[in-house]
Amino acid sequence: AQSVAQPEDQVNVAEGNPLTVKCTYSVSGNPYLFWYVQYPNRGLQFLLKYITGDNLVKGSYGFEAEFNKSQTSFHLKKPSALVSDSALYFCAVRDIRTDKLIFGTGTRLQVFP
Amino acid sequence: DTAVSQTPKYLVTQMGNDKSIKCEQNLGHDTMYWYKQDSKKFLKIMFSYNNKELIINETVPNRFSPKSPDKAHLNLHINSLELGDSAVYFCASSQYTPGEAFFGQGTRLTVV
């Protein structure tokens, strides 16, 4: 079965520092991977996706993610965190067999001024 | 214009009642979804419709019944509400399944 794991419930980072939110995946075949962000009391917003091509994917709000096949990871990164980046981040994978998006458990990012 | 809108935003109701949540998208997408997010923020798909046809029906109680009158609308009707149904329900749409999905703001359902 396809799945993603987000090993950290919370990530704390100081404003201006680089941030990484981790995601590992388990799929059969080629993975279709996504990152979404959820701000308080809001729905999820799409950030970026990896289907094929370059391992470094650039997305909204200055975020990027690196697809690493050997480590089965798709970590979300940003060179310089903003306080406004504080939110809940979800990694997701497309289940090819059922065509569903399967979400990770979410990582809460807290950026301190 | 809101891309995916759902109503109501908050719903407080008693056990045993029947309630509906409405969802509309103006993006011209073919596929719409209902997701449930529990108190621990776990997000799980419930249903998916493509062009008014049900394509994903997760293991949810049959008290939950989606209805898609046209491809721009996907409503969720819940019968005999239980305490455990309390959650935030999100509607979403995408052009390609599953692809990049656009989510509504959510409906916070509280069953008392």
Side-chain angles (χ1 to χ4, degrees), chain A residues 8-42:
Chain A
E8 303 154 316
D9 287 339
Q10 179 150 336
V11 169
N12 299 318
V13 65
E15 188 173 32
N17 283 1
L19 69 88
T20 299
V21 182
K22 295 180 180 176
C23 174
T24 58
Y25 64 88
S26 173
V27 302
S28 49
N30 294 323
Y32 286 29
L33 296 160
F34 304 80
W35 275 102
Y36 284 81
V37 60
Q38 184 178 22
Y39 296 102
N41 300 314
R42 302 289 297 273

PDB file of all heavy atoms in Angstrom, chain A residues 8-42:
ATOM      1  N   GLU A   8       8.048  14.015  12.254  1.00  0.00           N
ATOM      2  CA  GLU A   8       8.043  15.083  13.269  1.00  0.00           C
ATOM      3  C   GLU A   8       6.650  15.672  13.423  1.00  0.00           C
ATOM      4  O   GLU A   8       6.046  16.105  12.442  1.00  0.00           O
ATOM      5  CB  GLU A   8       9.015  16.210  12.869  1.00  0.00           C
ATOM      6  CG  GLU A   8      10.439  15.735  12.650  1.00  0.00           C
ATOM      7  CD  GLU A   8      11.207  16.635  11.688  1.00  0.00           C
ATOM      8  OE1 GLU A   8      10.625  17.018  10.644  1.00  0.00           O
ATOM      9  OE2 GLU A   8      12.378  16.942  11.972  1.00  0.00           O
ATOM     10  N   ASP A   9       6.172  15.690  14.667  1.00  0.00           N
ATOM     11  CA  ASP A   9       4.883  16.337  14.914  1.00  0.00           C
ATOM     12  C   ASP A   9       5.017  17.850  14.813  1.00  0.00           C
ATOM     13  O   ASP A   9       4.104  18.534  14.381  1.00  0.00           O
ATOM     14  CB  ASP A   9       4.369  15.989  16.310  1.00  0.00           C
ATOM     15  CG  ASP A   9       3.886  14.560  16.380  1.00  0.00           C
ATOM     16  OD1 ASP A   9       3.568  13.978  15.323  1.00  0.00           O
ATOM     17  OD2 ASP A   9       3.828  14.016  17.503  1.00  0.00           O
ATOM     18  N   GLN A  10       6.171  18.357  15.249  1.00  0.00           N
ATOM     19  CA  GLN A  10       6.377  19.797  15.264  1.00  0.00           C
ATOM     20  C   GLN A  10       7.826  20.112  14.934  1.00  0.00           C
ATOM     21  O   GLN A  10       8.736  19.386  15.322  1.00  0.00           O
ATOM     22  CB  GLN A  10       6.006  20.395  16.631  1.00  0.00           C
ATOM     23  CG  GLN A  10       6.213  21.900  16.711  1.00  0.00           C
ATOM     24  CD  GLN A  10       5.255  22.610  17.652  1.00  0.00           C
ATOM     25  OE1 GLN A  10       4.167  22.135  17.934  1.00  0.00           O
ATOM     26  NE2 GLN A  10       5.659  23.778  18.131  1.00  0.00           N
ATOM     27  N   VAL A  11       7.990  21.203  14.197  1.00  0.00           N
ATOM     28  CA  VAL A  11       9.314  21.723  13.881  1.00  0.00           C
ATOM     29  C   VAL A  11       9.343  23.185  14.296  1.00  0.00           C
ATOM     30  O   VAL A  11       8.436  23.951  13.936  1.00  0.00           O
ATOM     31  CB  VAL A  11       9.620  21.601  12.369  1.00  0.00           C
ATOM     32  CG1 VAL A  11      10.879  22.373  12.013  1.00  0.00           C
ATOM     33  CG2 VAL A  11       9.761  20.138  11.968  1.00  0.00           C
ATOM     34  N   ASN A  12      10.348  23.541  15.061  1.00  0.00           N
ATOM     35  CA  ASN A  12      10.510  24.924  15.497  1.00  0.00           C
ATOM     36  C   ASN A  12      11.745  25.512  14.836  1.00  0.00           C
ATOM     37  O   ASN A  12      12.796  24.875  14.793  1.00  0.00           O
ATOM     38  CB  ASN A  12      10.662  25.005  17.016  1.00  0.00           C
ATOM     39  CG  ASN A  12       9.458  24.471  17.745  1.00  0.00           C
ATOM     40  OD1 ASN A  12       8.321  24.726  17.370  1.00  0.00           O
ATOM     41  ND2 ASN A  12       9.703  23.717  18.809  1.00  0.00           N
ATOM     42  N   VAL A  13      11.613  26.729  14.341  1.00  0.00           N
ATOM     43  CA  VAL A  13      12.745  27.363  13.684  1.00  0.00           C
ATOM     44  C   VAL A  13      12.659  28.875  13.893  1.00  0.00           C
ATOM     45  O   VAL A  13      11.552  29.430  14.016  1.00  0.00           O
ATOM     46  CB  VAL A  13      12.782  26.999  12.180  1.00  0.00           C
ATOM     47  CG1 VAL A  13      11.575  27.552  11.468  1.00  0.00           C
ATOM     48  CG2 VAL A  13      14.057  27.446  11.529  1.00  0.00           C
ATOM     49  N   ALA A  14      13.794  29.508  13.985  1.00  0.00           N
ATOM     50  CA  ALA A  14      13.828  30.955  14.141  1.00  0.00           C
ATOM     51  C   ALA A  14      13.655  31.626  12.784  1.00  0.00           C
ATOM     52  O   ALA A  14      14.123  31.109  11.748  1.00  0.00           O
ATOM     53  CB  ALA A  14      15.140  31.384  14.780  1.00  0.00           C
ATOM     54  N   GLU A  15      13.002  32.750  12.793  1.00  0.00           N
ATOM     55  CA  GLU A  15      12.797  33.503  11.555  1.00  0.00           C
ATOM     56  C   GLU A  15      14.149  33.810  10.919  1.00  0.00           C
ATOM     57  O   GLU A  15      15.107  34.194  11.600  1.00  0.00           O
ATOM     58  CB  GLU A  15      12.052  34.803  11.851  1.00  0.00           C
ATOM     59  CG  GLU A  15      11.623  35.567  10.606  1.00  0.00           C
ATOM     60  CD  GLU A  15      10.757  36.763  10.911  1.00  0.00           C
ATOM     61  OE1 GLU A  15      10.952  37.375  11.983  1.00  0.00           O
ATOM     62  OE2 GLU A  15       9.881  37.078  10.091  1.00  0.00           O
ATOM     63  N   GLY A  16      14.208  33.634   9.600  1.00  0.00           N
ATOM     64  CA  GLY A  16      15.438  33.896   8.871  1.00  0.00           C
ATOM     65  C   GLY A  16      16.310  32.671   8.694  1.00  0.00           C
ATOM     66  O   GLY A  16      17.183  32.652   7.828  1.00  0.00           O
ATOM     67  N   ASN A  17      16.069  31.649   9.510  1.00  0.00           N
ATOM     68  CA  ASN A  17      16.839  30.403   9.377  1.00  0.00           C
ATOM     69  C   ASN A  17      16.216  29.497   8.331  1.00  0.00           C
ATOM     70  O   ASN A  17      15.015  29.603   8.045  1.00  0.00           O
ATOM     71  CB  ASN A  17      16.901  29.674  10.721  1.00  0.00           C
ATOM     72  CG  ASN A  17      17.912  30.307  11.666  1.00  0.00           C
ATOM     73  OD1 ASN A  17      18.559  31.295  11.330  1.00  0.00           O
ATOM     74  ND2 ASN A  17      18.045  29.738  12.854  1.00  0.00           N
ATOM     75  N   PRO A  18      17.012  28.582   7.781  1.00  0.00           N
ATOM     76  CA  PRO A  18      16.419  27.620   6.836  1.00  0.00           C
ATOM     77  C   PRO A  18      15.541  26.627   7.588  1.00  0.00           C
ATOM     78  O   PRO A  18      15.774  26.340   8.768  1.00  0.00           O
ATOM     79  CB  PRO A  18      17.646  26.914   6.235  1.00  0.00           C
ATOM     80  CG  PRO A  18      18.738  27.127   7.229  1.00  0.00           C
ATOM     81  CD  PRO A  18      18.455  28.414   7.915  1.00  0.00           C
ATOM     82  N   LEU A  19      14.532  26.128   6.878  1.00  0.00           N
ATOM     83  CA  LEU A  19      13.656  25.135   7.497  1.00  0.00           C
ATOM     84  C   LEU A  19      13.563  23.894   6.621  1.00  0.00           C
ATOM     85  O   LEU A  19      13.688  23.956   5.402  1.00  0.00           O
ATOM     86  CB  LEU A  19      12.256  25.720   7.738  1.00  0.00           C
ATOM     87  CG  LEU A  19      11.367  26.020   6.543  1.00  0.00           C
ATOM     88  CD1 LEU A  19      10.531  24.802   6.132  1.00  0.00           C
ATOM     89  CD2 LEU A  19      10.418  27.174   6.867  1.00  0.00           C
ATOM     90  N   THR A  20      13.361  22.774   7.296  1.00  0.00           N
ATOM     91  CA  THR A  20      13.124  21.499   6.616  1.00  0.00           C
ATOM     92  C   THR A  20      11.991  20.784   7.326  1.00  0.00           C
ATOM     93  O   THR A  20      12.013  20.650   8.552  1.00  0.00           O
ATOM     94  CB  THR A  20      14.379  20.605   6.628  1.00  0.00           C
ATOM     95  OG1 THR A  20      15.439  21.268   5.941  1.00  0.00           O
ATOM     96  CG2 THR A  20      14.094  19.278   5.940  1.00  0.00           C
ATOM     97  N   VAL A  21      11.014  20.333   6.560  1.00  0.00           N
ATOM     98  CA  VAL A  21       9.939  19.497   7.086  1.00  0.00           C
ATOM     99  C   VAL A  21      10.050  18.154   6.365  1.00  0.00           C
ATOM    100  O   VAL A  21      10.003  18.099   5.139  1.00  0.00           O
ATOM    101  CB  VAL A  21       8.552  20.122   6.855  1.00  0.00           C
ATOM    102  CG1 VAL A  21       7.473  19.247   7.466  1.00  0.00           C
ATOM    103  CG2 VAL A  21       8.500  21.530   7.430  1.00  0.00           C
ATOM    104  N   LYS A  22      10.192  17.096   7.138  1.00  0.00           N
ATOM    105  CA  LYS A  22      10.548  15.800   6.554  1.00  0.00           C
ATOM    106  C   LYS A  22       9.331  14.983   6.122  1.00  0.00           C
ATOM    107  O   LYS A  22       8.267  15.031   6.744  1.00  0.00           O
ATOM    108  CB  LYS A  22      11.365  14.991   7.563  1.00  0.00           C
ATOM    109  CG  LYS A  22      12.713  15.621   7.869  1.00  0.00           C
ATOM    110  CD  LYS A  22      13.476  14.787   8.876  1.00  0.00           C
ATOM    111  CE  LYS A  22      14.826  15.433   9.182  1.00  0.00           C
ATOM    112  NZ  LYS A  22      15.553  14.691  10.222  1.00  0.00           N
ATOM    113  N   CYS A  23       9.545  14.222   5.056  1.00  0.00           N
ATOM    114  CA  CYS A  23       8.528  13.295   4.562  1.00  0.00           C
ATOM    115  C   CYS A  23       9.242  12.126   3.894  1.00  0.00           C
ATOM    116  O   CYS A  23      10.153  12.329   3.094  1.00  0.00           O
ATOM    117  CB  CYS A  23       7.623  13.989   3.553  1.00  0.00           C
ATOM    118  SG  CYS A  23       6.435  12.890   2.731  1.00  0.00           S
ATOM    119  N   THR A  24       8.844  10.922   4.239  1.00  0.00           N
ATOM    120  CA  THR A  24       9.323   9.744   3.527  1.00  0.00           C
ATOM    121  C   THR A  24       8.128   9.013   2.957  1.00  0.00           C
ATOM    122  O   THR A  24       7.015   9.124   3.473  1.00  0.00           O
ATOM    123  CB  THR A  24      10.126   8.792   4.444  1.00  0.00           C
ATOM    124  OG1 THR A  24       9.302   8.404   5.540  1.00  0.00           O
ATOM    125  CG2 THR A  24      11.383   9.473   4.959  1.00  0.00           C
ATOM    126  N   TYR A  25       8.366   8.282   1.890  1.00  0.00           N
ATOM    127  CA  TYR A  25       7.240   7.642   1.214  1.00  0.00           C
ATOM    128  C   TYR A  25       7.504   6.154   1.008  1.00  0.00           C
ATOM    129  O   TYR A  25       8.642   5.688   1.030  1.00  0.00           O
ATOM    130  CB  TYR A  25       6.968   8.312  -0.136  1.00  0.00           C
ATOM    131  CG  TYR A  25       8.099   8.181  -1.133  1.00  0.00           C
ATOM    132  CD1 TYR A  25       8.174   7.078  -1.994  1.00  0.00           C
ATOM    133  CD2 TYR A  25       9.095   9.152  -1.216  1.00  0.00           C
ATOM    134  CE1 TYR A  25       9.208   6.952  -2.892  1.00  0.00           C
ATOM    135  CE2 TYR A  25      10.137   9.028  -2.110  1.00  0.00           C
ATOM    136  CZ  TYR A  25      10.198   7.938  -2.951  1.00  0.00           C
ATOM    137  OH  TYR A  25      11.230   7.808  -3.837  1.00  0.00           O
ATOM    138  N   SER A  26       6.418   5.451   0.793  1.00  0.00           N
ATOM    139  CA  SER A  26       6.489   4.030   0.484  1.00  0.00           C
ATOM    140  C   SER A  26       5.477   3.771  -0.620  1.00  0.00           C
ATOM    141  O   SER A  26       4.267   3.893  -0.400  1.00  0.00           O
ATOM    142  CB  SER A  26       6.151   3.189   1.715  1.00  0.00           C
ATOM    143  OG  SER A  26       6.065   1.829   1.363  1.00  0.00           O
ATOM    144  N   VAL A  27       5.986   3.492  -1.818  1.00  0.00           N
ATOM    145  CA  VAL A  27       5.101   3.267  -2.960  1.00  0.00           C
ATOM    146  C   VAL A  27       5.626   2.117  -3.797  1.00  0.00           C
ATOM    147  O   VAL A  27       6.807   1.786  -3.739  1.00  0.00           O
ATOM    148  CB  VAL A  27       4.979   4.520  -3.861  1.00  0.00           C
ATOM    149  CG1 VAL A  27       4.476   5.711  -3.082  1.00  0.00           C
ATOM    150  CG2 VAL A  27       6.292   4.844  -4.547  1.00  0.00           C
ATOM    151  N   SER A  28       4.727   1.543  -4.569  1.00  0.00           N
ATOM    152  CA  SER A  28       5.157   0.608  -5.600  1.00  0.00           C
ATOM    153  C   SER A  28       5.058   1.364  -6.914  1.00  0.00           C
ATOM    154  O   SER A  28       4.037   1.959  -7.213  1.00  0.00           O
ATOM    155  CB  SER A  28       4.263  -0.636  -5.610  1.00  0.00           C
ATOM    156  OG  SER A  28       2.920  -0.260  -5.622  1.00  0.00           O
ATOM    157  N   GLY A  29       6.138   1.369  -7.654  1.00  0.00           N
ATOM    158  CA  GLY A  29       6.142   2.142  -8.882  1.00  0.00           C
ATOM    159  C   GLY A  29       6.645   3.548  -8.643  1.00  0.00           C
ATOM    160  O   GLY A  29       7.200   3.877  -7.596  1.00  0.00           O
ATOM    161  N   ASN A  30       6.431   4.407  -9.625  1.00  0.00           N
ATOM    162  CA  ASN A  30       6.904   5.783  -9.521  1.00  0.00           C
ATOM    163  C   ASN A  30       5.968   6.597  -8.633  1.00  0.00           C
ATOM    164  O   ASN A  30       4.758   6.541  -8.787  1.00  0.00           O
ATOM    165  CB  ASN A  30       6.978   6.423 -10.909  1.00  0.00           C
ATOM    166  CG  ASN A  30       8.039   5.763 -11.770  1.00  0.00           C
ATOM    167  OD1 ASN A  30       9.088   5.389 -11.253  1.00  0.00           O
ATOM    168  ND2 ASN A  30       7.761   5.613 -13.048  1.00  0.00           N
ATOM    169  N   PRO A  31       6.533   7.366  -7.716  1.00  0.00           N
ATOM    170  CA  PRO A  31       5.675   8.124  -6.799  1.00  0.00           C
ATOM    171  C   PRO A  31       5.202   9.442  -7.384  1.00  0.00           C
ATOM    172  O   PRO A  31       5.937  10.107  -8.113  1.00  0.00           O
ATOM    173  CB  PRO A  31       6.599   8.371  -5.613  1.00  0.00           C
ATOM    174  CG  PRO A  31       7.955   8.457  -6.222  1.00  0.00           C
ATOM    175  CD  PRO A  31       7.953   7.526  -7.411  1.00  0.00           C
ATOM    176  N   TYR A  32       3.966   9.791  -7.063  1.00  0.00           N
ATOM    177  CA  TYR A  32       3.448  11.125  -7.319  1.00  0.00           C
ATOM    178  C   TYR A  32       3.299  11.765  -5.932  1.00  0.00           C
ATOM    179  O   TYR A  32       2.485  11.315  -5.130  1.00  0.00           O
ATOM    180  CB  TYR A  32       2.081  11.069  -7.997  1.00  0.00           C
ATOM    181  CG  TYR A  32       2.085  10.671  -9.448  1.00  0.00           C
ATOM    182  CD1 TYR A  32       3.059   9.852  -9.983  1.00  0.00           C
ATOM    183  CD2 TYR A  32       1.080  11.119 -10.298  1.00  0.00           C
ATOM    184  CE1 TYR A  32       3.044   9.484 -11.319  1.00  0.00           C
ATOM    185  CE2 TYR A  32       1.046  10.761 -11.633  1.00  0.00           C
ATOM    186  CZ  TYR A  32       2.032   9.941 -12.140  1.00  0.00           C
ATOM    187  OH  TYR A  32       2.016   9.585 -13.454  1.00  0.00           O
ATOM    188  N   LEU A  33       4.086  12.785  -5.642  1.00  0.00           N
ATOM    189  CA  LEU A  33       4.179  13.329  -4.294  1.00  0.00           C
ATOM    190  C   LEU A  33       3.754  14.789  -4.252  1.00  0.00           C
ATOM    191  O   LEU A  33       3.981  15.538  -5.204  1.00  0.00           O
ATOM    192  CB  LEU A  33       5.619  13.191  -3.785  1.00  0.00           C
ATOM    193  CG  LEU A  33       6.110  11.760  -3.633  1.00  0.00           C
ATOM    194  CD1 LEU A  33       7.629  11.700  -3.597  1.00  0.00           C
ATOM    195  CD2 LEU A  33       5.527  11.133  -2.367  1.00  0.00           C
ATOM    196  N   PHE A  34       3.175  15.176  -3.138  1.00  0.00           N
ATOM    197  CA  PHE A  34       2.606  16.520  -2.995  1.00  0.00           C
ATOM    198  C   PHE A  34       2.915  17.066  -1.598  1.00  0.00           C
ATOM    199  O   PHE A  34       3.077  16.312  -0.641  1.00  0.00           O
ATOM    200  CB  PHE A  34       1.073  16.480  -3.147  1.00  0.00           C
ATOM    201  CG  PHE A  34       0.593  15.881  -4.433  1.00  0.00           C
ATOM    202  CD1 PHE A  34       0.537  14.514  -4.599  1.00  0.00           C
ATOM    203  CD2 PHE A  34       0.169  16.699  -5.470  1.00  0.00           C
ATOM    204  CE1 PHE A  34       0.082  13.943  -5.798  1.00  0.00           C
ATOM    205  CE2 PHE A  34      -0.278  16.143  -6.667  1.00  0.00           C
ATOM    206  CZ  PHE A  34      -0.326  14.773  -6.821  1.00  0.00           C
ATOM    207  N   TRP A  35       2.955  18.391  -1.526  1.00  0.00           N
ATOM    208  CA  TRP A  35       2.956  19.088  -0.244  1.00  0.00           C
ATOM    209  C   TRP A  35       1.802  20.084  -0.229  1.00  0.00           C
ATOM    210  O   TRP A  35       1.571  20.814  -1.210  1.00  0.00           O
ATOM    211  CB  TRP A  35       4.271  19.842  -0.005  1.00  0.00           C
ATOM    212  CG  TRP A  35       5.355  19.015   0.590  1.00  0.00           C
ATOM    213  CD1 TRP A  35       6.436  18.469  -0.046  1.00  0.00           C
ATOM    214  CD2 TRP A  35       5.480  18.628   1.971  1.00  0.00           C
ATOM    215  NE1 TRP A  35       7.213  17.775   0.839  1.00  0.00           N
ATOM    216  CE2 TRP A  35       6.660  17.854   2.080  1.00  0.00           C
ATOM    217  CE3 TRP A  35       4.722  18.866   3.121  1.00  0.00           C
ATOM    218  CZ2 TRP A  35       7.089  17.319   3.302  1.00  0.00           C
ATOM    219  CZ3 TRP A  35       5.148  18.340   4.321  1.00  0.00           C
ATOM    220  CH2 TRP A  35       6.319  17.576   4.402  1.00  0.00           C
ATOM    221  N   TYR A  36       1.113  20.087   0.927  1.00  0.00           N
ATOM    222  CA  TYR A  36       0.029  21.035   1.160  1.00  0.00           C
ATOM    223  C   TYR A  36       0.286  21.744   2.486  1.00  0.00           C
ATOM    224  O   TYR A  36       0.924  21.198   3.391  1.00  0.00           O
ATOM    225  CB  TYR A  36      -1.325  20.319   1.256  1.00  0.00           C
ATOM    226  CG  TYR A  36      -1.884  19.883  -0.074  1.00  0.00           C
ATOM    227  CD1 TYR A  36      -1.452  18.716  -0.678  1.00  0.00           C
ATOM    228  CD2 TYR A  36      -2.859  20.652  -0.712  1.00  0.00           C
ATOM    229  CE1 TYR A  36      -1.971  18.315  -1.907  1.00  0.00           C
ATOM    230  CE2 TYR A  36      -3.384  20.257  -1.937  1.00  0.00           C
ATOM    231  CZ  TYR A  36      -2.935  19.096  -2.523  1.00  0.00           C
ATOM    232  OH  TYR A  36      -3.448  18.714  -3.731  1.00  0.00           O
ATOM    233  N   VAL A  37      -0.254  22.963   2.604  1.00  0.00           N
ATOM    234  CA  VAL A  37      -0.143  23.721   3.846  1.00  0.00           C
ATOM    235  C   VAL A  37      -1.551  24.078   4.332  1.00  0.00           C
ATOM    236  O   VAL A  37      -2.453  24.338   3.525  1.00  0.00           O
ATOM    237  CB  VAL A  37       0.711  25.002   3.657  1.00  0.00           C
ATOM    238  CG1 VAL A  37       0.117  25.929   2.612  1.00  0.00           C
ATOM    239  CG2 VAL A  37       0.870  25.751   4.987  1.00  0.00           C
ATOM    240  N   GLN A  38      -1.734  24.015   5.637  1.00  0.00           N
ATOM    241  CA  GLN A  38      -3.019  24.388   6.226  1.00  0.00           C
ATOM    242  C   GLN A  38      -2.776  25.470   7.272  1.00  0.00           C
ATOM    243  O   GLN A  38      -2.159  25.216   8.305  1.00  0.00           O
ATOM    244  CB  GLN A  38      -3.712  23.184   6.862  1.00  0.00           C
ATOM    245  CG  GLN A  38      -5.096  23.507   7.395  1.00  0.00           C
ATOM    246  CD  GLN A  38      -5.799  22.301   7.989  1.00  0.00           C
ATOM    247  OE1 GLN A  38      -5.183  21.322   8.380  1.00  0.00           O
ATOM    248  NE2 GLN A  38      -7.118  22.366   8.063  1.00  0.00           N
ATOM    249  N   TYR A  39      -3.279  26.675   6.998  1.00  0.00           N
ATOM    250  CA  TYR A  39      -3.214  27.754   7.973  1.00  0.00           C
ATOM    251  C   TYR A  39      -4.382  27.595   8.940  1.00  0.00           C
ATOM    252  O   TYR A  39      -5.386  26.956   8.615  1.00  0.00           O
ATOM    253  CB  TYR A  39      -3.235  29.105   7.273  1.00  0.00           C
ATOM    254  CG  TYR A  39      -2.022  29.312   6.390  1.00  0.00           C
ATOM    255  CD1 TYR A  39      -2.110  29.165   5.011  1.00  0.00           C
ATOM    256  CD2 TYR A  39      -0.787  29.624   6.944  1.00  0.00           C
ATOM    257  CE1 TYR A  39      -1.000  29.326   4.199  1.00  0.00           C
ATOM    258  CE2 TYR A  39       0.332  29.785   6.140  1.00  0.00           C
ATOM    259  CZ  TYR A  39       0.222  29.625   4.772  1.00  0.00           C
ATOM    260  OH  TYR A  39       1.322  29.771   3.978  1.00  0.00           O
ATOM    261  N   PRO A  40      -4.287  28.177  10.125  1.00  0.00           N
ATOM    262  CA  PRO A  40      -5.341  27.995  11.133  1.00  0.00           C
ATOM    263  C   PRO A  40      -6.732  28.308  10.595  1.00  0.00           C
ATOM    264  O   PRO A  40      -6.937  29.330   9.941  1.00  0.00           O
ATOM    265  CB  PRO A  40      -4.931  28.966  12.243  1.00  0.00           C
ATOM    266  CG  PRO A  40      -3.440  29.070  12.115  1.00  0.00           C
ATOM    267  CD  PRO A  40      -3.164  28.995  10.647  1.00  0.00           C
ATOM    268  N   ASN A  41      -7.651  27.400  10.856  1.00  0.00           N
ATOM    269  CA  ASN A  41      -9.056  27.555  10.463  1.00  0.00           C
ATOM    270  C   ASN A  41      -9.237  27.744   8.960  1.00  0.00           C
ATOM    271  O   ASN A  41     -10.176  28.419   8.523  1.00  0.00           O
ATOM    272  CB  ASN A  41      -9.700  28.738  11.213  1.00  0.00           C
ATOM    273  CG  ASN A  41      -9.658  28.533  12.706  1.00  0.00           C
ATOM    274  OD1 ASN A  41      -9.970  27.460  13.205  1.00  0.00           O
ATOM    275  ND2 ASN A  41      -9.232  29.553  13.432  1.00  0.00           N
ATOM    276  N   ARG A  42      -8.359  27.168   8.199  1.00  0.00           N
ATOM    277  CA  ARG A  42      -8.467  27.253   6.744  1.00  0.00           C
ATOM    278  C   ARG A  42      -8.373  25.867   6.133  1.00  0.00           C
ATOM    279  O   ARG A  42      -7.963  24.890   6.772  1.00  0.00           O
ATOM    280  CB  ARG A  42      -7.321  28.114   6.186  1.00  0.00           C
ATOM    281  CG  ARG A  42      -7.238  29.516   6.728  1.00  0.00           C
ATOM    282  CD  ARG A  42      -8.375  30.376   6.222  1.00  0.00           C
ATOM    283  NE  ARG A  42      -8.344  30.542   4.787  1.00  0.00           N
ATOM    284  CZ  ARG A  42      -7.657  31.486   4.143  1.00  0.00           C
ATOM    285  NH1 ARG A  42      -6.914  32.334   4.827  1.00  0.00           N
ATOM    286  NH2 ARG A  42      -7.712  31.593   2.848  1.00  0.00           N
TER     287      ARG A  42
END
